[in-house]
Amino acid sequence: KSMATTERLGPSRTRRNSHKNILTRIRHGQISGGGLSRGTEMSEALLQERDQQAKWHGIPVMLQRLYDSSHLNSDLSQIHSIIKEVASCLSMEAMSFVTEDRRTAQESTSPNTYTFDLFGGVDLLVEILMRPTLTTQTNFPKMSDDLVKDCLSVLYNCCICMEGVTKSLASRDDFVMFLFTLMSNKKTFLQTATLIEDILGVRKEMIQLEGIPNLPSLVQSFNQQQLANFCRILSVTITEPDLGNDDKHTLLAKNAQQKTNLCPSHSEVNQVALLNIPGFIERLCKLATRKVSEASGASSLLLELQDWYTLLDNALVLDALMQMATEDAEQSSTESPDESSLVTSPLRHSLPQSMKIVHEIMYKVEVLYVLCVLLIGRQRNQVHRMLAEFKLIPGLNNLFDKLIWRKQTSTHVLHGQNQNCDCSPEISFKIQFLRLLQSFSDHHENKYLLLNAQELNELSAISLKANIPEVEALVNTDRNLICDGKKGLLTRLLSVMKKEPAESSFRFWQARAVESFLRGSTSYADQVFLLKRGLLEHILFCIIDSGCKSRDVLQSYFDLLGELMKFNIDSFKRFNKYVNTEEKFQTFMTQINSSLVDSNMLVRCIILSLDRFEIGMTRDVLCLVIVEVLSECSLLSYMVRVENRLTILFRLVNIINVQTLTQENVSCLNTSLVVLMLARRRGKLSFYLNALREKEYTEKYPGCLLNNFHNLLRFWQRHYLNKDKDSTCLENSSCILFTYWKETVSVLLDSDRTSLCAIASYIDEALHGSGKRLSGSLVPGKRGEALSQSPED
């Protein structure tokens, strides 16, 4: 009836609109569930008639033939032949989409892929792949590996070009679980893994690894290359998704979420599932520490590259590999005949060494990421024991010079940018390595595994000379698990850190990794060990003389400097020796004052150290040394003045409020508390509170600052009194018992308006609870990605 009606409308209108009507009817049927739902329900004659005008390139007709021939007992060779035809129509669109600049890729159109999906091609391929699992029949023809691979390739190409396809596949739990079963076949593993990774990346709900059939035996069946690629998939399943909403990252929101989510998260459950797989961590350690020469041969790598280009994640990495391959080839042409013949020998398979290195690096990036996530999870102590037992740190130490921080033999530019561009595999590898070191050392006694025997002996000698006991963790370190060679991993890191260019993106992560070694209870021997290697002078050069403008890098150096100087009189003497002019000191203070969110941890360490030194002046042994340093050190002289402390306190309280508290700026609240706790010890708390009140009136905002501080302290009680880890870290970093922290907060929040140590007594009753933030107050700054793991935050 509809065709007859269409014919009465006239041929010109029919040719112009009929193919649009077909598309509209199919799409409407897919949405409503009624009428046409796939193009294969239409006659082949009609599809052929409209094909040329609609520019469908024969795809609907091919799908019609595929549908008609795809059943359990059909000729699989015929099915494979049709799928190859389809693949040729779609592959170029996928390739052009991947190689386009991402800014224009969003505007790209993929008409063939769209047509394929609209006419039911994606659903049909899924049906063909899964059909053997949906029947009890046993005597049907088995699909060849090549046919499975081509089906997966077409599906992946569709996912590349159309996000809607990826989301549709991701919503089908049965298909996702089915894909995992295909990973047991080595020949289809790579295509399956790539498709799974793409699908899991857009799933609304995180997949549960425990639901994968025979997960332990599946993982144990993987060879090392497959396991490394499987880590790409695991990274999506063990990391909580970033919602990309700043409001969700405030401590207020996180505390509320913790109250509603009492059960372990999906990612935490998945981490436990992985740790329960026998031999899993040991194999990851072997992958992370194996040398390039121990990896698979060149021929297998060459086959992988030819077989599936998306192994390389995207064309950017492929470009990098190809460029290095070209460079090696050019270099070989300038060598002697004998050398050149070696390069082109069958042993090399025309595959340059640089390509093999980058290939191995790409594997290690994924492995290190998984290990890093497990290290900061709830099972941290268990993971630590395993990593120590399987000698991850000594293994990485042996790779440091030859692979991790190897000397670049060429000055090639990756993807049109310098060596620090994020698309370089080597850059990603170095950053992931530094993040792993940070997570490994942070507040854990295993940090001494980063040293070799000679360096451990040096720490013991430092303690002996200073007449102080050795740190218990140092004494208990198993020397069978430490680094070997002339240098330990920490010392190697210090060496490259001091040589890093001023504009390098590594400086932030290097400082974070070294700082994590110092975190926790302050160790004089650890500080002196680093001081003897010129670390303090390097930090001061970077802050004062290098021209560094990056707030993230400066913040990481401030934090490191604070840990290095805390309670250490030698550090302040060295500081004064380097900052030996008024100009240098003013430059240093300008950097500190430009963002207290970035520098407040250093300020806290200086204030705590000053308090310790002043108490130490009563001891005969240290008295003369301390008096000399206090009189000569410009930094201590600045901080000893009460008016400077009050200015810092005023700014710290005014930077933040309860609604804007995050892991990155909550340290400002704790630093302000340190100032007031030390004042309380000396009976000067009322003086400080009155000074804040006078500052309010001077600024003509009575009640504003103290009301804000009162609200912050109430939040502090709710946040810290329920988190043992945070309270322990506060105590260790400040050497102030947490009971004194709690007492001071309780005193400040006392509702008795007659108490001179209660904030309420300094706020006019009419203004109590009604304060607003000062206009022009500072905006909280970003402390950097690594601070999400900060012990205090």
Side-chain angles (χ1 to χ4, degrees):
K1 180 179 179 180
S2 58
M3 284 301 297
T5 304
T6 303
E7 288 174 359
R8 286 195 294 271
L9 294 177
S12 60
R13 186 173 177 182
T14 301
R15 291 170 183 166
R16 185 168 58 249
N17 295 328
S18 60
H19 72 277
K20 294 182 180 179
N21 291 337
I22 293 173
L23 298 183
T24 303
R25 290 172 62 194
I26 294 174
R27 183 59 72 194
H28 176 74
Q30 292 172 342
I31 296 173
S32 65
L36 287 174
S37 61
R38 63 167 72 187
T40 52
E41 297 174 13
M42 307 178 70
S43 69
E44 184 172 338
L46 177 60
L47 294 176
Q48 287 179 335
E49 178 186 348
R50 305 302 178 206
D51 187 88
Q52 184 173 2
Q53 185 180 357
K55 297 181 180 179
W56 289 335
H57 302 290
I59 292 175
V61 175
M62 282 188 277
L63 287 176
Q64 180 83 61
R65 288 161 44 208
L66 183 61
Y67 180 77
D68 292 339
S69 60
S70 59
H71 48 80
L72 273 177
N73 297 309
S74 58
D75 183 0
L76 294 180
S77 61
Q78 184 179 354
I79 294 177
H80 198 178
S81 176
I82 299 172
I83 289 177
K84 285 183 176 180
E85 283 187 70
V86 173
S88 65
C89 294
L90 306 184
S91 59
M92 292 308 298
E93 286 184 350
M95 180 66 81
S96 63
F97 188 92
V98 170
T99 55
E100 279 182 356
D101 189 306
R102 286 300 178 185
R103 288 172 296 182
T104 60
Q106 299 301 322
E107 304 167 5
S108 299
T109 56
S110 306
N112 289 348
T113 307
Y114 176 80
T115 302
F116 178 78
D117 178 45
L118 181 66
F119 281 85
V122 171
D123 292 335
L124 183 54
L125 284 189
V126 171
E127 187 179 323
I128 291 172
L129 283 169
M130 294 189 65
R131 187 172 291 154
T133 67
L134 303 176
T135 180
T136 57
Q137 184 178 336
T138 58
N139 58 346
F140 54 85
K142 184 181 178 182
M143 294 178 64
S144 67
D145 294 335
D146 288 338
L147 174 55
V148 173
K149 287 162 63 175
D150 285 339
C151 287
L152 294 172
S153 299
V154 172
L155 288 176
Y156 182 71
N157 286 339
C158 291
C159 289
I160 289 177
C161 298
M162 295 181 64
E163 187 180 10
V165 171
T166 316
K167 290 181 177 179
S168 175
L169 294 176
S171 66
R172 296 192 54 173
D173 292 341
D174 59 339
F175 181 63
V176 174
M177 290 301 173
F178 167 75
L179 286 177
F180 278 99
T181 65
L182 294 182
M183 297 184 77
S184 60
N185 185 340
K186 186 174 182 179
K187 294 183 178 179
T188 61
F189 174 89
L190 204 54
Q191 289 80 0
T192 308
T194 311
L195 181 58
I196 291 176
E197 181 192 0
D198 216 49
I199 289 174
L200 294 187
V202 300
R203 270 180 68 96
K204 292 182 179 180
E205 292 187 4
M206 185 176 292
I207 190 174
Q208 294 293 278
L209 293 179
E210 291 179 334
I212 298 174
N214 303 315
L215 176 65
S217 58
L218 176 65
V219 174
Q220 289 172 329
S221 72
F222 295 155
N223 60 31
Q224 290 295 76
Q225 281 69 31
Q226 289 173 324
L227 183 60
N229 280 311
F230 188 59
C231 284
R232 292 181 64 86
I233 296 172
L234 293 181
S235 65
V236 183
T237 69
I238 61 176
T239 310
E240 287 297 328
D242 186 357
L243 300 177
N245 186 340
D246 288 340
D247 292 339
K248 300 293 184 183
H249 298 302
T250 65
L251 295 184
L252 202 62
K254 287 191 174 185
N255 286 355
Q257 187 178 18
Q258 286 176 353
K259 289 180 180 179
T260 57
N261 299 334
L262 299 178
C263 299
S265 66
H266 289 338
S267 63
E268 290 169 340
V269 173
N270 286 339
Q271 290 177 26
V272 173
L274 290 178
L275 293 175
N276 288 335
I277 299 176
F280 176 71
I281 296 296
E282 181 178 9
R283 292 187 65 191
L284 290 192
C285 289
K286 289 181 178 179
L287 259 174
T289 58
R290 74 176 181 182
K291 300 175 182 178
V292 177
S293 58
E294 298 170 353
S296 60
S299 58
S300 63
L301 168 58
L302 193 59
L303 288 174
E304 281 187 343
L305 295 180
Q306 293 171 339
D307 187 40
W308 191 251
Y309 71 89
T310 49
L311 160 73
L312 305 176
D313 187 38
N314 57 50
L316 303 180
V317 183
L318 180 60
D319 290 344
L321 290 174
M322 293 303 104
Q323 185 164 354
M324 283 187 285
T326 304
E327 289 174 355
D328 275 21
E330 292 173 351
Q331 183 178 359
S332 68
S333 65
T334 62
E335 295 170 348
S336 65
D338 291 338
E339 292 172 326
S340 181
S341 63
L342 176 63
V343 172
T344 56
S345 70
L347 293 176
R348 287 294 296 268
H349 294 276
S350 302
L351 190 66
Q353 177 70 7
S354 58
M355 184 177 288
K356 288 193 286 186
I357 289 174
V358 175
H359 184 250
E360 183 66 17
I361 283 174
M362 291 165 65
Y363 279 155
K364 293 186 187 299
V365 169
E366 311 303 336
V367 173
L368 292 183
Y369 179 83
V370 170
L371 290 176
C372 189
V373 172
L374 294 175
L375 260 179
I376 61 176
R378 288 195 178 188
Q379 314 301 317
R380 185 189 185 203
N381 288 332
Q382 178 187 356
V383 176
H384 248 293
R385 287 194 299 271
M386 290 180 170
L387 299 188
E389 177 186 353
F390 301 130
K391 297 188 176 183
L392 174 68
I393 297 303
L396 292 176
N397 186 47
N398 293 332
L399 288 180
F400 190 87
D401 291 332
K402 294 183 178 179
L403 184 66
I404 300 174
W405 232 273
R406 66 192 181 100
K407 293 181 180 179
Q408 299 296 325
T409 57
S410 64
T411 57
H412 62 267
V413 178
L414 294 179
H415 195 59
Q417 299 183 33
N418 60 29
Q419 278 284 329
N420 289 334
C421 78
D422 292 335
C423 63
S424 163
E426 297 201 35
I427 301 306
S428 300
F429 181 43
K430 289 178 179 178
I431 291 176
Q432 204 56 60
F433 163 77
L434 294 171
R435 293 184 70 172
L436 178 74
L437 286 193
Q438 177 193 352
S439 303
F440 188 86
S441 302
D442 194 14
H443 284 78
H444 203 282
E445 59 187 17
N446 276 351
K447 69 179 185 179
Y448 291 111
L449 298 181
L450 272 65
L451 308 180
N452 64 14
Q454 182 179 350
E455 291 161 350
L456 291 179
N457 293 337
E458 183 181 342
L459 285 178
S460 300
I462 293 171
S463 298
L464 181 64
K465 183 178 180 180
N467 196 28
I468 57 176
E470 288 185 72
V471 177
E472 185 178 355
L474 175 61
V475 175
N476 295 335
T477 298
D478 186 346
R479 298 206 170 202
N480 293 316
L481 305 177
I482 62 175
C483 293
D484 50 15
K486 295 182 179 179
K487 293 181 180 180
L489 198 50
L490 178 64
T491 305
R492 293 183 191 278
L493 176 58
L494 288 173
S495 298
V496 298
M497 180 179 179
K498 290 193 289 185
K499 298 175 183 177
E500 204 64 43
E503 69 281 2
S504 171
S505 60
F506 297 129
R507 295 175 76 174
F508 170 84
W509 296 107
Q510 290 168 338
R512 280 273 162 258
V514 177
E515 183 211 346
S516 68
F517 182 82
L518 292 172
R519 277 184 184 170
S521 299
T522 303
S523 168
Y524 173 80
D526 292 353
Q527 291 173 323
V528 173
F529 179 85
L530 297 176
L531 287 173
K532 290 170 65 177
R533 284 155 177 79
L535 180 59
L536 184 136
E537 289 78 10
H538 168 72
I539 297 171
L540 292 176
F541 170 79
C542 292
I543 294 174
I544 299 173
D545 300 318
S546 72
C548 178
K549 302 297 182 183
S550 168
R551 296 313 312 175
D552 285 341
V553 172
L554 286 172
Q555 189 269 327
S556 66
Y557 276 112
F558 284 138
D559 286 357
L560 175 55
L561 185 61
E563 292 294 337
L564 191 60
M565 296 182 69
K566 186 166 53 179
F567 307 137
N568 192 307
I569 198 72
D570 297 331
S571 294
F572 284 90
K573 291 171 67 176
R574 283 175 173 259
F575 176 93
N576 212 44
K577 186 176 180 180
Y578 187 93
V579 186
N580 54 8
T581 66
E582 181 64 20
E583 182 183 3
K584 280 190 173 183
F585 180 70
Q586 289 304 324
T587 301
F588 182 77
M589 292 308 301
T590 298
Q591 293 279 42
I592 285 183
N593 288 317
S594 63
S595 177
L596 275 181
V597 172
D598 296 328
S599 63
N600 82 90
M601 293 292 287
L602 172 60
V603 170
R604 186 194 307 181
C605 290
I606 297 170
I607 292 174
L608 285 168
S609 299
L610 179 60
D611 182 74
R612 172 78 66 89
F613 296 155
E614 290 176 337
I615 295 174
M617 287 175 64
T618 60
R619 301 174 186 172
D620 294 338
V621 177
L622 293 175
C623 181
L624 294 177
V625 176
I626 294 174
V627 169
E628 178 186 356
V629 174
L630 284 175
S631 62
E632 294 180 357
C633 182
S634 51
L635 188 57
L636 292 175
S637 299
Y638 177 90
M639 205 59 70
V640 81
R641 292 195 285 273
V642 176
E643 62 271 24
N644 290 334
R645 293 201 206 188
L646 283 171
T647 299
I648 290 171
L649 178 62
F650 175 80
R651 291 183 61 200
L652 285 172
V653 176
N654 189 43
I655 283 174
I656 51 178
N657 61 40
V658 173
Q659 285 70 37
T660 61
L661 272 181
T662 66
Q663 291 177 331
E664 295 155 347
N665 61 29
V666 69
S667 56
C668 294
L669 174 57
N670 290 320
T671 299
S672 66
L673 259 178
V674 166
V675 174
L676 294 179
M677 281 192 294
L678 298 181
R680 182 181 170 223
R681 274 184 179 175
R682 296 171 182 254
K684 295 182 179 180
L685 183 55
S686 59
F687 172 81
Y688 276 75
L689 293 176
N690 189 60
L692 290 178
R693 184 177 188 272
E694 291 180 357
K695 183 70 173 177
E696 284 183 332
Y697 277 86
T698 301
E699 299 288 339
K700 299 181 180 180
Y701 287 96
C704 166
L705 189 71
L706 290 174
N707 265 311
N708 183 47
F709 192 41
H710 192 276
N711 291 333
L712 286 166
L713 293 180
R714 288 171 60 191
F715 174 83
W716 187 95
Q717 284 185 321
R718 295 192 300 272
H719 181 68
Y720 281 102
L721 298 188
N722 295 321
K723 301 181 76 174
D724 293 337
K725 180 183 177 183
D726 280 338
S727 63
T728 301
C729 292
L730 285 177
E731 184 174 296
N732 289 340
S733 64
S734 64
C735 289
I736 299 174
L737 293 176
F738 190 65
T739 53
Y740 196 75
W741 285 78
K742 292 191 293 184
E743 288 172 9
T744 303
V745 173
S746 296
V747 167
L748 289 167
L749 292 178
D750 194 341
S751 58
D752 183 4
R753 298 182 62 82
T754 64
S755 171
L756 294 180
C757 293
I759 294 175
S761 64
Y762 296 88
I763 305 175
D764 293 344
E765 196 164 357
L767 298 173
H768 189 66
S770 62
K772 297 180 180 179
R773 296 190 71 205
L774 297 181
S775 60
S777 60
L778 299 178
V779 177
K782 299 292 279 185
R783 287 184 62 82
E785 189 177 332
L787 288 210
S788 61
Q789 302 165 16
S790 175
E792 173 180 70
D793 299 339

